[in-house]
Amino acid sequence: MIQLDCSKLNGFVTEDYLSARKDALTRAHTMLDESNGPGGDFTGWVKLPANYDKEEFARIKAAADKIRSDSQVLVVVGIGGSYLGARAVIELLRSQNYNLKRKDTPDVYFAGNGLSTDAMLETIALIGDRDFSVNVISKSGTTTEPAVAFRIFKGLLEAKYGKEAAAGRIYATTDKARGALKGLADKEGYQTFVVPDNIGGRYSVLTAVGLLPIAVAGIDIDELMAGAAQAMSELSVRGLDNPAWQYAAARHALYEGGKRIEILACYEPCFRFFGEWFKQLYGESEGKDGKGLFPASVEFTADLHSMGQYIQDGHRNLFETVVRFENPHGKLLIPTDPDNVDGLNFLAGKSLAFVAEQAMRGTILAHVDGGVPNILLSLPEINEKSVGWLIYFFELVCGLSGYLLEVNPFDQPGVEDYKKNMFALLGKPGYEERKAQLEARL
Ligand code: PA5
């Protein structure tokens, strides 16, 4: 499915950077497969494309059908791994302008991924008097941002439809047994979907966490899973010709050679949230114990006119990974102009895709010449299968990379610190001493 071009690493890494990591990659891959490395209890995603719960999958499709039939809007309440995957896939496959398009599927609004009053009020205003349903997603069932947002949307649903009918419009995706959300869902009779115990938030897009909103948006989730299953099979190869090994080795060699920032670039605006998903996946998985590449993302060519300056000419501690989709879904030719005042007739009759391709090729060489190594990942086109494939590829490389770096790629201890301070400042019972200390410092 993927073509990986690492030729633009020449001169930046040693010639044997891949073979030198063969043993470490073999160990890393085995630990992922056998769930016996650090964080091994959270490697359920490795075999998920083959082992997913088919009964729940059918319930996801049925729930999506119901939401499509009785709602003009689906509000997806979740944060981090409980929202980024769904948004990434919907935008990549259905456009960043999905909600603006004329379509026969509901608008999908994402809420509970922050604490902005204005953003929340705007979402409520956008829903207006339309029929809506809510998919509240929280693995722990206790995360503050989605819990607060859910309270608000639950209240709006109950005011509009009455308590009982509102319950029929609420879908809760959470732990199978633990957490406040599970307790509430059982008490109120919401339909529930499970975040498996052995899959952490940022690896959960191919569970009900991502699949329900994705299916509501009219995306073929069978094909998405088929793409992931194809990746799982193709990338299970233990050898240096495995593109997941090649990418993981390249990233690690660049890190060891002093690079500190990986910029994920794409020439498709609909890729933007895939970049956000990538940043969470890699940032939370690798950034710990004082180690890790800082994951960044850019949209080209737009960001060549902003971040392009820094990439070309700033600190030389970065490298680029470009994701390229070879074939657009349509064709657009540049017209001839008899006056040629803009001097563009040399492009007349050429496709916009051809221009974009030359922009990409020229940019890669310019950045390489400027000291920015480049990794190019090419896929034929954006479709359900290729996106499923890409998700699995990035997840696998992330797991491998974490083990190469000798960190636990499946925990996120650093995320807890802000939560404790927030709870203390909000006056949550049990945090009195911390509150006094923080208030004194503030
Ligand atoms: O990857 C992770 O585990 C986190 O980013 C979580 O997804 C995020 O903190 C939300 O957690 P929860 O789903 O428990 O509300």
Side-chain angles (χ1 to χ4, degrees), residues 78-83 137-143 146 200-204 280 284 412 415 419:
I79 195 167
S82 290
Y83 111 94
I137 308 171
S138 177
K139 180 171 181 176
S140 63
T142 56
T143 309
R202 57 189 177 275
Y203 294 84
S204 70
Q280 190 216 3
E284 279 194 347
Q412 54 286 329
V415 177
K419 288 187 192 169

Side-chain angles (χ1 to χ4, degrees), residues 296-364:
S297 64
V298 288
E299 179 196 319
F300 287 163
T301 60
D303 288 335
L304 289 173
H305 298 258
S306 60
M307 297 306 289
Q309 169 60 39
Y310 192 103
I311 296 170
Q312 187 68 47
D313 222 9
H315 273 293
R316 301 297 74 193
N317 61 353
L318 39 90
F319 70 93
E320 254 176 354
T321 300
V322 175
V323 178
R324 163 200 188 211
F325 297 100
E326 284 159 18
N327 306 307
H329 295 112
K331 194 165 184 180
L332 207 50
L333 296 182
I334 296 169
T336 310
D337 182 340
D339 298 332
N340 196 27
V341 180
D342 55 11
L344 281 183
N345 269 356
F346 75 102
L347 290 176
K350 299 266 187 335
S351 71
L352 189 56
F354 171 78
V355 179
E357 176 77 6
Q358 306 325 309
M360 185 198 76
R361 296 171 76 212
T363 303
I364 288 175

